[in-house]
Amino acid sequence: MNKLWKLDMEISVVVPLYNEEESLGELTRWISKVCLGLNKSFEIILVDDGSIDNSWSTINHLATDNPAIKAIRFRRNYGKSAALNEGFRLAKGRVVITMDADLQDSPDEIPDLYDMIANQDYDLVSGWKKKRHDPLNKTLPSKLFNLTTRKISKIPLHDFNCGLKAYRLEVVKAIEVHGEMHRYIPVIAKWNGFRKIGEKVVHHYERKYGHTKYGLSRFIKGYLDLLSITFVSRFGKRPMHLFGFLGSLLFFAGFLIAAYLTYAKFFMEAYRMTERPLFYFGLLAMILGTQLFMTGFLAELVSAAGRTRHNDYGIAESINI
Ligand code: UDP
Ligand code: MG
C-alpha cells in the first residue's frame, strides 16, 4: 500500500468545471451529504477552469458555509485535463474521486467507488454509463472510440471517457494529464504500472443546466491523442530505437540501390544515372533515412533533458528513505 503520503484524509472529490454556475450548489450539497453519511473525512476540490460566468463567485459563496470545499481558479480556460491535473496535485484523500460538475454523474456512486478502492484493492475504477442520456451523435462515435481504445490498450473498459472515476491516491500522484488526455487516464495509469483497473456501472443523467463543452471535434483529437500516448509510452524513453531503426533501414536500402546502380553503370552498360527511376528511390531513401536518424537524435536529447528535470519513474515503495 501507499507509504509515501500522509493519510489523514479519506476522500477527495475532484470536480473540474467550466461555466457551471447553476449546478454547483446542488452538486456540493449532494456530495457533502453522501460523504457525511459515509462518516469519512473528505474534501471537495473544485477546479474552476477559467469560467466566464458566475461560477467563481458561486464557489466563494458556497465555501463560506461548507468547510469541505477547496477551490482554485485558472486565469483562463485550459481544458478539463489541466483542471484534473491541478486537482490531482492538491488531493490528499486516500481515495480520489473525480466527477463532472454538470450533475450528469451522481454523487450517490461515491460509497461503492470508495469501497472498491479502499477495500477491494483496485488502483482505478472507471464508471460505465451503460444507459446514457446523451444525443446519438455523441453516443455512436463514443462506441467506436471506446472499441479502438480497448483494442489498443488491452484494458477491458466500456467507457474510457466517463467523468466519474475513483483512484488510489498514489495513482493520481504518479500520472500527468494535459492536453485532452483525460480520455485516456486508464491507459496512462496502466502504462505507469497500475494494473488493477476495474469498472462499475453508474447512473447517468441528462444535463440539467448549461450545455456540453465539447463538439464532434473531440473524436478527431481523441484519436490523435491515442496515437501520441501509444508512441510516448512505447518509445518516449528510447526514441532512437524507433527512429534509428527505421532510419538505418531506409538508408541502407538507399545505399544498396546506389551501389548497384554505380556497379551496373561501370561494368554492365553505360547509361546516365538520372535515366533510371531506381536512382530517385535510392536517393530519396538515403535522404529520408538520414533525416529519421537525426529525428531520433533530437528526440533522445529532448527525452534526456526531461529526465534530468524530474523523475519519470514511478517508485512503488521504499525502505529507510
Ligand atoms: N470542463 C472543464 N473545462 C473545459 C471543458 C469542460 O473543466 O474546458 C468540465 C465541465 O464543466 C464538466 C466536465 O468538464 O464538469 C465535462 O464536460 P461536459 O459536460 O461539457 O462534457 P460531456 O458531458 O458533454 O462529455
Ligand atoms: Mg456532461
Side-chain angles (χ1 to χ4, degrees):
M1 265 282 155
N2 167 22
K3 298 191 178 73
L4 299 174
W5 288 277
K6 240 180 86 189
L7 303 172
D8 37 23
M9 176 79 68
E10 279 295 321
I11 305 175
S12 297
V13 182
V14 174
V15 182
L17 63 111
Y18 179 57
N19 297 345
E20 308 280 5
E21 56 180 354
E22 301 96 333
S23 50
L24 293 173
E26 190 178 339
L27 180 77
T28 50
R29 278 190 293 276
W30 194 355
I31 296 174
S32 304
K33 195 184 84 193
V34 173
C35 291
L36 287 170
L38 259 180
N39 208 8
K40 304 279 180 204
S41 53
F42 69 100
E43 58 181 0
I44 304 173
I45 301 177
L46 301 173
V47 186
D48 180 347
D49 185 12
S51 294
I52 46 176
D53 65 351
N54 291 318
S55 293
W56 186 246
S57 58
T58 310
I59 291 171
N60 266 295
H61 182 70
L62 292 169
T64 52
D65 39 47
N66 188 342
I69 293 182
K70 300 172 180 179
I72 50 170
R73 181 174 73 92
F74 288 168
R75 213 161 280 126
R76 68 168 181 83
N77 179 237
Y78 283 95
K80 188 176 174 183
S81 293
L84 284 174
N85 204 51
E86 283 312 292
F88 287 164
R89 206 168 55 77
L90 296 170
K92 294 198 188 72
R94 192 150 81 93
V95 175
V96 179
I97 293 174
T98 59
M99 84 175 58
D100 289 355
D102 54 4
L103 291 168
Q104 289 196 274
D105 301 329
S106 160
D108 287 335
E109 309 284 352
I110 292 177
D112 286 348
L113 289 172
Y114 172 83
D115 179 65
M116 288 176 83
I117 301 287
N119 305 321
Q120 300 175 37
D121 222 29
Y122 280 99
D123 292 322
L124 188 164
V125 178
S126 180
W128 172 15
K129 297 164 286 190
K130 199 166 179 178
K131 196 165 175 341
R132 253 182 103 160
H133 296 275
D134 278 321
L136 195 71
N137 67 7
K138 202 157 146 184
T139 47
L140 213 64
S142 165
K143 281 219 165 78
L144 200 69
F145 160 85
N146 280 307
L147 184 77
T148 325
T149 313
R150 200 157 52 229
K151 290 277 176 261
I152 293 185
S153 67
K154 303 199 174 66
I155 304 172
L157 293 182
H158 293 86
D159 189 4
F160 282 85
N161 193 18
C162 186
L164 188 54
K165 287 193 172 63
Y167 309 82
R168 210 143 56 75
L169 184 65
E170 198 185 345
V171 180
V172 305
K173 298 297 180 189
I175 60 179
E176 283 259 340
V177 233
H178 45 249
E180 311 239 330
M181 300 290 188
H182 56 269
R183 300 194 181 94
Y184 299 107
I185 294 182
V187 185
I188 299 173
K190 185 183 169 190
W191 279 329
N192 275 281
F194 299 103
R195 312 203 144 263
K196 192 143 189 237
I197 296 175
E199 184 167 58
K200 179 186 182 303
V201 175
V202 295
H203 279 286
H204 186 241
Y205 298 93
E206 240 172 274
R207 213 180 219 283
K208 237 168 139 176
Y209 313 99
H211 51 83
T212 177
K213 311 296 183 299
Y214 299 99
L216 267 180
S217 70
R218 70 165 89 197
F219 296 104
I220 301 166
K221 292 182 190 158
Y223 280 112
L224 292 177
D225 283 344
L226 184 60
L227 276 183
S228 357
I229 54 171
T230 311
F231 171 77
V232 169
S233 74
R234 287 216 191 142
F235 297 105
K237 294 197 168 57
R238 47 183 191 101
M240 200 54 178
H241 286 188
L242 177 72
F243 292 111
F245 174 70
L246 288 179
S248 311
L249 209 67
L250 217 54
F251 184 87
F252 189 62
F255 184 80
L256 280 186
I257 292 174
Y260 161 74
L261 285 177
T262 313
Y263 173 82
K265 180 180 166 82
F266 287 115
F267 299 105
M268 286 152 77
E269 47 179 320
Y271 58 80
R272 274 195 288 168
M273 278 288 198
T274 49
E275 277 167 4
R276 305 278 304 257
L278 199 56
F279 170 74
Y280 294 100
F281 281 116
L283 199 64
L284 196 66
M286 282 196 286
I287 293 173
L288 285 184
T290 317
Q291 285 191 336
L292 274 178
F293 213 88
M294 288 302 172
T295 310
F297 269 131
L298 285 180
E300 282 290 341
L301 283 179
V302 173
S303 151
R307 252 197 309 273
T308 48
R309 268 205 297 279
H310 50 79
N311 172 24
D312 280 331
Y313 306 106
I315 297 167
E317 291 185 57
S318 57
I319 294 171
N320 294 337
I321 295 292

